[in-house]
């Protein structure tokens, strides 16, 4: 859905972003931009990937965190900083604080992935686990700030943070001067707002498209209402953009400068992550893959060249395994079926031979013999198979039926 841009007082300017770029020189990497032939064919225009997943700490968050903390007064630095995050912002604040010699305390949910907790500690932060969801963690961090005088570093709702994130936009213009469209994931909106400030100030003709997960899409209703609106209980595998309410500062900039906001579903996110891994050889988290998901949506309207911002690569290995399996299912490369056979010695081996002949790779087998639904000589087998695509799935089911097996049902993927 597209939204027209309304006028607003800019709280972040091009000069702010340029100042942030100078401040980040030697701190943040100028991340690579890689072409994608596969996505270019899909979109019908050249597509480039801006690899913020290769940034220090694994995401763009270091940029904004460093600029925000570097701008503190000496007495504020002495009091230390505090943040709340389930991952990327935590690591960005931790490293930025360490580089600037500022003590940092980071509150993280008790269920945060262990690799992210470990990385945040290794970057130098004092980590405190509190609450089950980010809202509870955020409240604890703000209470700590009030009690101790530590400066709360918001992940997206501050002009300095947005200016830091906007340096991604300046790099895009330097690396791809002819860019026609920039596609970027959106949670609170800090990255999209910063990129939009930088790019629209220099190239107002460039289209900026924000992408949100369908289960955590607060911007469409907010833009319709003309003010930040809260989406209750946001739910998505893309925790990097799972934000229930847009920030006040980025909202005004997004409303003015971002041309369009689109949403993508969980199947699209997992398929995009799989594509990044297989075709681009890049490890990207679901939030970072959201722009690629939008490109794969097939709705066109992407004036080339297109730059998709891969905002981060901090994905928990357990989630990666589940998402890849889900992505394979979304592409028709994973088939789960339940079927019945006669329970006799060698029956399972015969079934596996049929599947081998059909060139299906067996991932998992579950054999059920005792069930009131089954006849005395029947058994039920649940199979999880790796296939080559939707047509191959149909061929496998046909091969099973031809061999005399009764396919009870094709099962939906439940890996995510």
């Amino acid at each position: 859905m597209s939204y027209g841009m309304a006028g607003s007082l800019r709280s972040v300017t091009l000069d702010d972003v340029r100042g942030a770029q100078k401040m980040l020189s030697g701190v943040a990497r100028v991340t690579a931009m890689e072409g994608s032939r596969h996505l270019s064919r899909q979109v019908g225009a050249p597509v480039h990937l801006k690899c913020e997943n290769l940034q220090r700490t694994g995401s763009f968050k270091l940029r904004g965190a460093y600029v925000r903390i570097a701008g503190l007064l000496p007495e504020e630095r002495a009091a230390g900083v505090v943040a709340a995050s389930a991952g990327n912002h935590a690591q960005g604040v931790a490293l930025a604080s360490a580089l600037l010699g500022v003590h940092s305390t980071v509150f993280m949910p008790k269920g945060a992935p262990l690799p992210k907790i470990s990385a945040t500690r290794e970057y130098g932060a004092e980590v405190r686990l509190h609450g089950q969801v980010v809202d509870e963690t955020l409240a604890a961090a703000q209470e700590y700030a009030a009690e101790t005088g530590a400066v709360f570093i918001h992940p997206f709702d501050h002009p300095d943070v947005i200016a830091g994130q906007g340096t991604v936009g300046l790099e895009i213009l330097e690396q791809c001067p002819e860019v026609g469209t920039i596609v970027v994931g959106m949670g609170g909106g800090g990255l999209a707002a910063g990129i939009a400030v930088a790019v629209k100030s220099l190239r107002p003709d460039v289209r900026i498209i924000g992408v949100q997960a369908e289960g955590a899409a607060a911007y469409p209703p907010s833009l319709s209402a003309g003010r930040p609106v809260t989406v209750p209980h946001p739910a998505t595998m893309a925790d990097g953009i799972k934000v229930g309410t847009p920030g006040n500062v980025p909202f005004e900039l997004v409303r003015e400068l971002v041309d369009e906001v689109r949403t993508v579903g969980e199947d699209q996110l997992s398929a995009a992550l799989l594509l990044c891994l297989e075709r681009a050889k890049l490890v990207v988290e679901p939030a970072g893959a959201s722009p690629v998901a939008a490109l794969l949506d097939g709705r066109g309207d992407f004036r080339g060249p297109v730059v998709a911002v891969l905002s981060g690569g901090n994905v928990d290995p357990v989630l990666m395994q589940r998402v890849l399996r889900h992505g394979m299912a979304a592409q028709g490369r994973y088939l789960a079926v339940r079927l019945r056979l006669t329970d006799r010695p060698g029956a399972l081996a015969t079934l596996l031979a049929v599947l081998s002949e059909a060139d299906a790779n067996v991932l998992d087998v579950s054999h059920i013999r005792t069930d009131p639904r089954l006849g005395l000589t029947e058994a039920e087998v649940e199979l999880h198979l790796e296939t080559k695509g939707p047509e191959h799935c149909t061929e496998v089911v046909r091969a099973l039926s031809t061999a005399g097996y009764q396919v009870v049902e094709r099962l939906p993927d439940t890996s995510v």
Side-chain angles (χ1 to χ4, degrees), residues 4 17 46 81 111 127 148 154 158 181 232 255 312 378 385 398 415:
V17 181
V81 299
V127 174
T148 65
H154 199 284
H158 192 281
T181 304
R255 182 168 67 164
E378 286 185 319
L385 310 170
R398 187 184 300 121
S415 59

Side-chain angles (χ1 to χ4, degrees), residues 3 186-187 211-223 229-236 241-246 261-264:
Y3 299 91
M186 292 174 59
V211 183
Q212 293 208 285
E214 287 177 356
Y219 264 94
S222 297
L223 291 168
V229 171
T230 298
V231 173
H233 313 300
T236 174
I241 54 175
K242 189 170 71 173
V243 177
T245 309
V261 175
R262 297 187 177 190
T263 60
V264 293

Side-chain angles (χ1 to χ4, degrees), residues 1-3 5 186 207-211 223 254 257-262 299-302:
M1 184 177 292
S2 299
Y3 299 91
M5 293 187 294
M186 292 174 59
R207 282 176 54 78
I208 310 290
I209 298 177
V211 183
L223 291 168
V254 168
L257 300 173
V258 172
D259 296 278
E260 183 180 356
V261 175
R262 297 187 177 190
R299 284 185 281 174
D301 302 328
F302 297 104

Side-chain angles (χ1 to χ4, degrees), residues 147-237:
E147 291 175 351
T148 65
V151 179
F152 179 70
I153 307 299
H154 199 284
F156 51 81
D157 202 12
H158 192 281
D160 289 349
V161 172
I162 293 170
Q165 322 303 31
T167 59
V168 176
L170 293 181
E171 289 178 17
I172 289 173
L173 293 180
E174 292 164 2
Q175 294 169 315
C176 186
E178 69 280 14
V179 61
T181 304
I182 297 173
V183 190
V184 55
M186 292 174 59
L191 178 61
I195 290 175
V197 168
V199 173
K200 289 288 190 178
S201 298
L202 296 168
R203 286 279 311 282
D205 59 302
V206 176
R207 282 176 54 78
I208 310 290
I209 298 177
V211 183
Q212 293 208 285
E214 287 177 356
Y219 264 94
S222 297
L223 291 168
S224 295
R227 57 180 175 77
V229 171
T230 298
V231 173
H233 313 300
T236 174
M237 72 175 81

Side-chain angles (χ1 to χ4, degrees), residues 60-61 88 116 186-188 237-243 285-287:
F60 71 96
K61 289 288 190 178
N88 289 346
K116 294 185 178 182
M186 292 174 59
M237 72 175 81
D239 58 352
I241 54 175
K242 189 170 71 173
V243 177
E285 62 190 270

